[in-house]
Amino acid sequence: MGQGHGDTVNCGTGQAWAALGGDPDLTGRISYGGPPGLLPARLPVGALARATVAVCALAAAELAAARDGGPLPAVRVDDGAVATAFASERHLRVDGRPLTAFAPLSRFWRTADGWVRTHANYPHHRARLLHALGLPGTAGAPEVEGELAGRRAAEIEETVHAAGGLAVAARRPEEWAAHPQGVASAAHPLLTLGPLDAAAPPRPLPPAGRPGLPADGLRVLDLTRVIAGPVATRTLALLGAEVLRIDAPQLPESQEAHSDTGFGKRSTALDLGTRAGRAAFEELLAGADVVVTGYRPGALDRFGLTPEALTERRPGLVVARLSAWGDDGPWGGRRGFDSLVQVATGIAAVEGDPDGTPGTLPAQALDHGTGYLLAAAVLRALTERARAGGSFLATLALVRTAHWLLHDLPAVLPAGPAGPTFGPAPYLRETDGPLGRLRHALPPVAFDGCPTTWATPPGPLAADPPVWR
């Protein structure tokens, strides 16, 4: 049996759908196909990818049926489309140019007692890393390599964190399980989704104005960055939602990353620390159905953006929160990225070489998988809100998705992964837009009547006014 078909794929999909509170009978409407054996790894990455896309498509089909009053559309999951989408940032070309994957100082480094991984894609993270190591701002990889080689991994981790930078010591799964943050993370389910305020009345949704777009007419405020959150809101845009991404003008952001995840969206900049910025946000919130945040827990609280404060001002709102390490534990307030979570939790050790050199997954699967789960949670919340009313809160974390991959999904591939394999050309398309000619991955979410691509290509970051259409 090929990877991801039969009982194994149903297990992963069933686990994710149960976490979303969905009717288990609906999973029978999902069919699976496409080329097998993609995303090869020691861990069941293919099963994770397939399951997260499957439940996202099923949640979209469920909302479509609820809005139109018809039967649940059949859902299709194609392994080639899934694998290609999970590496969408690697496939993207802008006028033939690939994206920059990682900066020179974002990599594994050997230390005196093991390995550490740093993340320095943003200029301020690079500066903080070098400052923490006592190196000049002009230092490059040779200087960093020499400095880290004489230090212990745990000491590097704490020193760089204290300086506001990002470095994580490589651990084995059993070491992470004993770590206080690993203990805290393991106490939580894959995701949480439930009513935050049951007093808000039901908000019935009219039939979608455009066939196959279950989120048609819904408004989403997107306060997320990098991959996971933007993948979720990119998916909501595919399904018809009006998505407005909001960035702080003082924080550097990657246009390259937005070129991959900005399909179907508009993008604006608001300084919530100013009176004008707060006023503009409040006007947007008054017309919003969904707010998605992807910053560290507590980072937005001073702007009145806790879930409770948001739903008090906008009853019936769906709030979805994403973080790297979760809401609690000693690392709850730390910055994090997919690559660092892989290293901390032991995924890099499992995927590593026999000599102990850490490895990586064939895609940033924690980011992409969590993104599709987040979109699924929003869609399920919208269905429940229309039925019973209330405000809803969904919480997800990359570390919880990592725990699911390591411990709960059944292994389906032998050890000894081959090189990464992604979907072939049928899962890619070329589109002209404001940024140039884009070659991009097609969306993997598919059900009867679903659009095959986004209505609009991405544009420049922060180029749109902070208003709803």
Side-chain angles (χ1 to χ4, degrees):
M1 181 174 65
Q3 179 193 7
H5 294 279
D7 293 340
T8 298
V9 67
N10 291 335
C11 175
T13 301
Q15 290 172 355
W17 189 243
L20 291 161
D23 179 353
D25 292 339
L26 297 185
T27 58
R29 293 289 290 166
I30 306 172
S31 62
Y32 303 89
L38 303 179
L39 299 175
R42 293 188 177 95
L43 292 167
V45 178
L48 178 148
R50 191 180 307 106
T52 56
V53 170
V55 296
C56 184
L58 184 58
E62 180 189 38
L63 181 59
R67 291 193 71 167
D68 297 334
L72 186 83
V75 173
R76 302 178 305 280
V77 179
D78 183 309
D79 283 355
V82 170
T84 307
F86 263 60
S88 61
E89 67 277 8
R90 302 185 192 182
H91 287 293
L92 188 73
R93 300 290 184 272
V94 180
D95 290 333
R97 301 186 309 273
L99 301 189
T100 303
F102 287 100
L105 299 188
S106 296
R107 49 168 273 199
F108 287 108
W109 309 87
R110 189 182 290 276
T111 69
D113 61 345
W115 293 85
V116 71
R117 179 148 191 172
T118 55
H119 194 286
N121 281 12
Y122 290 112
H124 59 297
H125 290 162
R126 181 184 185 278
R128 292 169 185 173
L129 170 67
L130 294 175
H131 175 74
L133 299 179
L135 295 172
T138 56
E143 292 86 354
V144 173
E145 185 173 34
E147 181 65 29
L148 295 182
R151 299 194 185 195
R152 297 175 64 85
E155 182 266 325
I156 296 166
E157 180 179 86
E158 291 306 315
T159 298
V160 175
H161 165 67
L166 293 131
V168 171
R171 293 173 172 84
R172 297 187 301 274
E174 60 271 21
E175 292 175 317
W176 179 250
H179 188 279
Q181 189 61 40
V183 173
S185 302
H188 292 282
L190 173 61
L191 59 90
T192 62
L193 173 63
L196 189 63
D197 171 20
R203 194 183 295 179
L205 294 169
R210 294 172 290 172
L213 297 174
D216 184 43
L218 298 172
R219 290 170 167 173
V220 179
L221 289 176
D222 175 7
L223 284 74
T224 69
R225 309 179 78 196
V226 195
I227 296 179
V231 163
T233 52
R234 181 181 70 184
T235 303
L236 297 174
L238 170 76
L239 300 171
E242 180 182 356
V243 178
L244 181 62
R245 171 168 169 157
I246 299 176
D247 282 283
Q250 65 271 28
L251 286 179
E253 188 49 287
S254 168
Q255 175 63 56
E256 285 195 337
H258 183 64
S259 300
D260 174 50
T261 58
F263 284 86
K265 309 177 190 178
R266 291 184 301 126
S267 170
T268 194
L270 282 180
D271 185 350
L272 298 182
T274 67
R275 182 176 299 178
R278 290 292 297 277
F281 181 84
E282 292 303 316
E283 281 200 34
L284 291 167
L285 179 63
D289 295 279
V290 179
V291 174
V292 184
T293 66
Y295 290 77
R296 289 175 295 137
L300 300 176
D301 291 2
R302 68 186 187 277
F303 302 119
L305 299 185
T306 65
E308 295 78 10
L310 287 167
T311 54
E312 182 179 351
R313 304 200 301 277
R314 178 62 169 161
L317 190 70
V318 174
V319 181
R321 293 199 304 170
L322 166 74
S323 65
W325 306 107
D327 293 334
D328 58 1
W331 286 18
R334 293 196 179 193
R335 300 171 178 86
F337 294 90
D338 178 305
S339 58
L340 301 183
V341 176
Q342 288 189 40
V343 171
T345 58
I347 290 173
V350 174
E351 298 293 340
D353 295 334
D355 66 0
T357 303
T360 61
L361 298 177
Q364 295 196 68
L366 305 182
D367 262 334
H368 286 271
T370 307
Y372 288 109
L373 288 174
L374 192 155
V378 169
L379 295 164
R380 287 242 62 247
L382 290 168
T383 298
E384 293 298 322
R385 186 188 73 172
R387 180 183 62 83
S391 306
F392 283 80
L393 173 63
T395 60
L396 298 92
L398 301 184
V399 72
R400 298 185 198 172
T401 305
H403 183 89
W404 186 43
L405 175 65
L406 279 162
H407 301 289
D408 298 330
L409 285 168
V412 293
L413 281 178
T421 305
F422 303 114
Y427 305 108
L428 301 173
R429 177 170 295 181
E430 291 196 349
T431 301
D432 291 317
L435 303 177
R437 187 161 186 81
L438 306 181
R439 189 196 76 174
H440 61 92
L442 290 171
V445 172
F447 57 89
D448 285 351
C450 180
T452 58
T453 192
W454 292 269
T456 59
L461 269 170
D464 297 295
V467 294
W468 296 118
R469 286 197 182 103

